[in-house]
PDB file of all heavy atoms in Angstrom:
ATOM      1  N   HIS M 587      80.859 117.678 132.340  1.00 39.00           N
ATOM      2  CA  HIS M 587      82.111 118.075 133.002  1.00 39.00           C
ATOM      3  C   HIS M 587      82.075 117.818 134.466  1.00 39.00           C
ATOM      4  O   HIS M 587      83.113 117.668 135.170  1.00 39.00           O
ATOM      5  CB  HIS M 587      82.366 119.520 132.776  1.00 39.00           C
ATOM      6  CG  HIS M 587      82.828 119.812 131.383  1.00 39.00           C
ATOM      7  ND1 HIS M 587      84.143 119.561 130.989  1.00 39.00           N
ATOM      8  CD2 HIS M 587      82.251 120.292 130.267  1.00 39.00           C
ATOM      9  CE1 HIS M 587      84.301 119.879 129.735  1.00 39.00           C
ATOM     10  NE2 HIS M 587      83.175 120.348 129.282  1.00 39.00           N
ATOM     11  N   PHE M 588      80.861 117.778 135.071  1.00 42.00           N
ATOM     12  CA  PHE M 588      80.742 117.613 136.551  1.00 42.00           C
ATOM     13  C   PHE M 588      80.486 116.170 136.860  1.00 42.00           C
ATOM     14  O   PHE M 588      79.355 115.683 136.725  1.00 42.00           O
ATOM     15  CB  PHE M 588      79.655 118.516 137.094  1.00 42.00           C
ATOM     16  CG  PHE M 588      80.148 119.893 137.420  1.00 42.00           C
ATOM     17  CD1 PHE M 588      80.188 120.850 136.502  1.00 42.00           C
ATOM     18  CD2 PHE M 588      80.634 120.177 138.669  1.00 42.00           C
ATOM     19  CE1 PHE M 588      80.633 122.111 136.773  1.00 42.00           C
ATOM     20  CE2 PHE M 588      81.122 121.387 139.038  1.00 42.00           C
ATOM     21  CZ  PHE M 588      81.111 122.383 138.031  1.00 42.00           C
ATOM     22  N   LEU M 589      81.515 115.415 137.288  1.00 34.00           N
ATOM     23  CA  LEU M 589      81.330 114.053 137.664  1.00 34.00           C
ATOM     24  C   LEU M 589      80.664 113.969 139.031  1.00 34.00           C
ATOM     25  O   LEU M 589      81.025 114.707 139.937  1.00 34.00           O
ATOM     26  CB  LEU M 589      82.757 113.333 137.740  1.00 34.00           C
ATOM     27  CG  LEU M 589      83.576 113.482 136.465  1.00 34.00           C
ATOM     28  CD1 LEU M 589      84.852 112.721 136.689  1.00 34.00           C
ATOM     29  CD2 LEU M 589      82.829 112.943 135.309  1.00 34.00           C
ATOM     30  N   GLN M 590      79.751 113.070 139.153  1.00 33.00           N
ATOM     31  CA  GLN M 590      79.000 112.957 140.441  1.00 33.00           C
ATOM     32  C   GLN M 590      79.816 111.986 141.326  1.00 33.00           C
ATOM     33  O   GLN M 590      79.720 110.793 141.176  1.00 33.00           O
ATOM     34  CB  GLN M 590      77.600 112.376 140.188  1.00 33.00           C
ATOM     35  CG  GLN M 590      76.839 113.181 139.244  1.00 33.00           C
ATOM     36  CD  GLN M 590      76.246 114.428 139.889  1.00 33.00           C
ATOM     37  OE1 GLN M 590      76.034 114.466 141.073  1.00 33.00           O
ATOM     38  NE2 GLN M 590      76.037 115.477 139.103  1.00 33.00           N
ATOM     39  N   ILE M 591      80.564 112.543 142.276  1.00 29.00           N
ATOM     40  CA  ILE M 591      81.350 111.736 143.222  1.00 29.00           C
ATOM     41  C   ILE M 591      80.477 111.418 144.440  1.00 29.00           C
ATOM     42  O   ILE M 591      80.415 112.237 145.345  1.00 29.00           O
ATOM     43  CB  ILE M 591      82.638 112.445 143.641  1.00 29.00           C
ATOM     44  CG1 ILE M 591      83.339 112.910 142.381  1.00 29.00           C
ATOM     45  CG2 ILE M 591      83.484 111.507 144.449  1.00 29.00           C
ATOM     46  CD1 ILE M 591      83.666 111.819 141.386  1.00 29.00           C
ATOM     47  N   THR M 592      79.775 110.319 144.462  1.00 28.00           N
ATOM     48  CA  THR M 592      78.870 110.124 145.566  1.00 28.00           C
ATOM     49  C   THR M 592      79.425 109.270 146.684  1.00 28.00           C
ATOM     50  O   THR M 592      79.084 109.398 147.826  1.00 28.00           O
ATOM     51  CB  THR M 592      77.602 109.416 145.042  1.00 28.00           C
ATOM     52  OG1 THR M 592      77.942 108.194 144.399  1.00 28.00           O
ATOM     53  CG2 THR M 592      76.811 110.293 144.086  1.00 28.00           C
ATOM     54  N   SER M 593      80.358 108.338 146.327  1.00 29.00           N
ATOM     55  CA  SER M 593      80.790 107.419 147.348  1.00 29.00           C
ATOM     56  C   SER M 593      82.124 107.849 147.985  1.00 29.00           C
ATOM     57  O   SER M 593      82.493 107.320 149.006  1.00 29.00           O
ATOM     58  CB  SER M 593      80.966 106.015 146.759  1.00 29.00           C
ATOM     59  OG  SER M 593      81.925 106.026 145.785  1.00 29.00           O
ATOM     60  N   THR M 594      82.873 108.729 147.354  1.00 34.00           N
ATOM     61  CA  THR M 594      84.164 109.062 147.879  1.00 34.00           C
ATOM     62  C   THR M 594      84.431 110.521 148.174  1.00 34.00           C
ATOM     63  O   THR M 594      85.136 110.814 149.095  1.00 34.00           O
ATOM     64  CB  THR M 594      85.263 108.563 146.837  1.00 34.00           C
ATOM     65  OG1 THR M 594      84.999 109.215 145.607  1.00 34.00           O
ATOM     66  CG2 THR M 594      85.259 107.117 146.716  1.00 34.00           C
ATOM     67  N   LYS M 595      83.844 111.440 147.484  1.00 39.00           N
ATOM     68  CA  LYS M 595      83.966 112.889 147.758  1.00 39.00           C
ATOM     69  C   LYS M 595      85.416 113.321 147.944  1.00 39.00           C
ATOM     70  O   LYS M 595      85.792 113.817 149.015  1.00 39.00           O
ATOM     71  CB  LYS M 595      83.181 113.228 149.037  1.00 39.00           C
ATOM     72  CG  LYS M 595      81.723 112.805 149.023  1.00 39.00           C
ATOM     73  CD  LYS M 595      81.174 113.159 150.367  1.00 39.00           C
ATOM     74  CE  LYS M 595      79.742 112.611 150.447  1.00 39.00           C
ATOM     75  NZ  LYS M 595      79.205 112.749 151.755  1.00 39.00           N
ATOM     76  N   ALA M 596      86.243 113.124 146.993  1.00 45.00           N
ATOM     77  CA  ALA M 596      87.646 113.584 147.081  1.00 45.00           C
ATOM     78  C   ALA M 596      87.977 114.520 145.944  1.00 45.00           C
ATOM     79  O   ALA M 596      87.467 114.443 144.865  1.00 45.00           O
ATOM     80  CB  ALA M 596      88.562 112.359 147.053  1.00 45.00           C
ATOM     81  N   PHE M 597      88.942 115.412 146.193  1.00 52.00           N
ATOM     82  CA  PHE M 597      89.268 116.437 145.260  1.00 52.00           C
ATOM     83  C   PHE M 597      90.715 116.732 145.318  1.00 52.00           C
ATOM     84  O   PHE M 597      91.170 117.341 146.287  1.00 52.00           O
ATOM     85  CB  PHE M 597      88.477 117.703 145.620  1.00 52.00           C
ATOM     86  CG  PHE M 597      88.423 118.750 144.538  1.00 52.00           C
ATOM     87  CD1 PHE M 597      87.306 118.832 143.691  1.00 52.00           C
ATOM     88  CD2 PHE M 597      89.418 119.703 144.420  1.00 52.00           C
ATOM     89  CE1 PHE M 597      87.286 119.836 142.738  1.00 52.00           C
ATOM     90  CE2 PHE M 597      89.399 120.679 143.421  1.00 52.00           C
ATOM     91  CZ  PHE M 597      88.251 120.727 142.597  1.00 52.00           C
ATOM     92  N   LEU M 598      91.527 116.113 144.405  1.00 53.00           N
ATOM     93  CA  LEU M 598      92.968 116.299 144.546  1.00 53.00           C
ATOM     94  C   LEU M 598      93.551 116.653 143.185  1.00 53.00           C
ATOM     95  O   LEU M 598      93.182 116.122 142.167  1.00 53.00           O
ATOM     96  CB  LEU M 598      93.565 114.963 145.001  1.00 53.00           C
ATOM     97  CG  LEU M 598      95.079 115.021 145.374  1.00 53.00           C
ATOM     98  CD1 LEU M 598      95.385 114.199 146.562  1.00 53.00           C
ATOM     99  CD2 LEU M 598      95.953 114.556 144.204  1.00 53.00           C
ATOM    100  N   LEU M 599      94.428 117.689 143.197  1.00 54.00           N
ATOM    101  CA  LEU M 599      95.061 118.132 141.962  1.00 54.00           C
ATOM    102  C   LEU M 599      96.520 117.679 141.968  1.00 54.00           C
ATOM    103  O   LEU M 599      97.156 117.706 143.027  1.00 54.00           O
ATOM    104  CB  LEU M 599      95.030 119.662 141.908  1.00 54.00           C
ATOM    105  CG  LEU M 599      93.712 120.356 142.325  1.00 54.00           C
ATOM    106  CD1 LEU M 599      93.903 121.855 142.164  1.00 54.00           C
ATOM    107  CD2 LEU M 599      92.643 119.886 141.392  1.00 54.00           C
ATOM    108  N   ILE M 600      97.054 117.306 140.855  1.00 51.00           N
ATOM    109  CA  ILE M 600      98.460 117.001 140.726  1.00 51.00           C
ATOM    110  C   ILE M 600      99.092 117.990 139.795  1.00 51.00           C
ATOM    111  O   ILE M 600      98.722 118.046 138.621  1.00 51.00           O
ATOM    112  CB  ILE M 600      98.659 115.530 140.218  1.00 51.00           C
ATOM    113  CG1 ILE M 600      98.009 114.576 141.217  1.00 51.00           C
ATOM    114  CG2 ILE M 600     100.176 115.220 140.051  1.00 51.00           C
ATOM    115  CD1 ILE M 600      98.100 113.134 140.764  1.00 51.00           C
ATOM    116  N   LEU M 601      99.995 118.779 140.271  1.00 50.00           N
ATOM    117  CA  LEU M 601     100.549 119.862 139.552  1.00 50.00           C
ATOM    118  C   LEU M 601     102.057 119.713 139.326  1.00 50.00           C
ATOM    119  O   LEU M 601     102.795 119.157 140.168  1.00 50.00           O
ATOM    120  CB  LEU M 601     100.404 121.209 140.331  1.00 50.00           C
ATOM    121  CG  LEU M 601      98.956 121.522 140.776  1.00 50.00           C
ATOM    122  CD1 LEU M 601      98.920 122.595 141.774  1.00 50.00           C
ATOM    123  CD2 LEU M 601      98.087 121.803 139.634  1.00 50.00           C
ATOM    124  N   PRO M 602     102.596 120.112 138.168  1.00 47.00           N
ATOM    125  CA  PRO M 602     104.039 120.122 137.940  1.00 47.00           C
ATOM    126  C   PRO M 602     104.716 121.002 139.015  1.00 47.00           C
ATOM    127  O   PRO M 602     104.325 122.099 139.233  1.00 47.00           O
ATOM    128  CB  PRO M 602     104.208 120.667 136.539  1.00 47.00           C
ATOM    129  CG  PRO M 602     102.812 120.557 135.932  1.00 47.00           C
ATOM    130  CD  PRO M 602     101.828 120.701 137.062  1.00 47.00           C
ATOM    131  N   CYS M 603     105.756 120.493 139.594  1.00 41.00           N
ATOM    132  CA  CYS M 603     106.505 121.308 140.505  1.00 41.00           C
ATOM    133  C   CYS M 603     107.970 120.787 140.567  1.00 41.00           C
ATOM    134  O   CYS M 603     108.359 120.066 139.731  1.00 41.00           O
ATOM    135  CB  CYS M 603     105.880 121.344 141.887  1.00 41.00           C
ATOM    136  SG  CYS M 603     106.028 119.814 142.782  1.00 41.00           S
ATOM    137  N   SER M 604     108.703 121.142 141.644  1.00 38.00           N
ATOM    138  CA  SER M 604     110.076 120.708 141.579  1.00 38.00           C
ATOM    139  C   SER M 604     110.660 120.358 142.944  1.00 38.00           C
ATOM    140  O   SER M 604     111.820 120.583 143.219  1.00 38.00           O
ATOM    141  CB  SER M 604     110.924 121.813 140.966  1.00 38.00           C
ATOM    142  OG  SER M 604     110.639 123.028 141.565  1.00 38.00           O
ATOM    143  N   GLN M 605     109.909 119.892 143.876  1.00 38.00           N
ATOM    144  CA  GLN M 605     110.421 119.489 145.162  1.00 38.00           C
ATOM    145  C   GLN M 605     109.642 118.254 145.666  1.00 38.00           C
ATOM    146  O   GLN M 605     108.433 118.279 145.665  1.00 38.00           O
ATOM    147  CB  GLN M 605     110.384 120.576 146.212  1.00 38.00           C
ATOM    148  CG  GLN M 605     110.961 120.186 147.561  1.00 38.00           C
ATOM    149  CD  GLN M 605     110.983 121.396 148.490  1.00 38.00           C
ATOM    150  OE1 GLN M 605     110.803 122.477 148.070  1.00 38.00           O
ATOM    151  NE2 GLN M 605     111.258 121.183 149.726  1.00 38.00           N
ATOM    152  N   PRO M 606     110.311 117.181 146.123  1.00 36.00           N
ATOM    153  CA  PRO M 606     109.588 115.985 146.525  1.00 36.00           C
ATOM    154  C   PRO M 606     108.717 116.326 147.798  1.00 36.00           C
ATOM    155  O   PRO M 606     109.269 116.860 148.780  1.00 36.00           O
ATOM    156  CB  PRO M 606     110.681 114.971 146.844  1.00 36.00           C
ATOM    157  CG  PRO M 606     111.946 115.801 147.087  1.00 36.00           C
ATOM    158  CD  PRO M 606     111.762 116.995 146.279  1.00 36.00           C
ATOM    159  N   ILE M 607     107.411 116.010 147.683  1.00 35.00           N
ATOM    160  CA  ILE M 607     106.546 116.237 148.795  1.00 35.00           C
ATOM    161  C   ILE M 607     105.724 114.973 148.903  1.00 35.00           C
ATOM    162  O   ILE M 607     105.231 114.421 147.952  1.00 35.00           O
ATOM    163  CB  ILE M 607     105.610 117.417 148.539  1.00 35.00           C
ATOM    164  CG1 ILE M 607     106.439 118.659 148.409  1.00 35.00           C
ATOM    165  CG2 ILE M 607     104.561 117.577 149.587  1.00 35.00           C
ATOM    166  CD1 ILE M 607     105.684 119.879 147.860  1.00 35.00           C
TER     167      ILE M 607
END
Side-chain angles (χ1 to χ4, degrees):
H587 284 284
F588 272 86
L589 306 181
Q590 304 284 332
I591 310 302
T592 57
S593 64
T594 55
K595 305 178 189 172
F597 195 96
L598 188 140
L599 316 180
I600 299 178
L601 308 168
C603 72
S604 50
Q605 182 174 347
I607 297 169

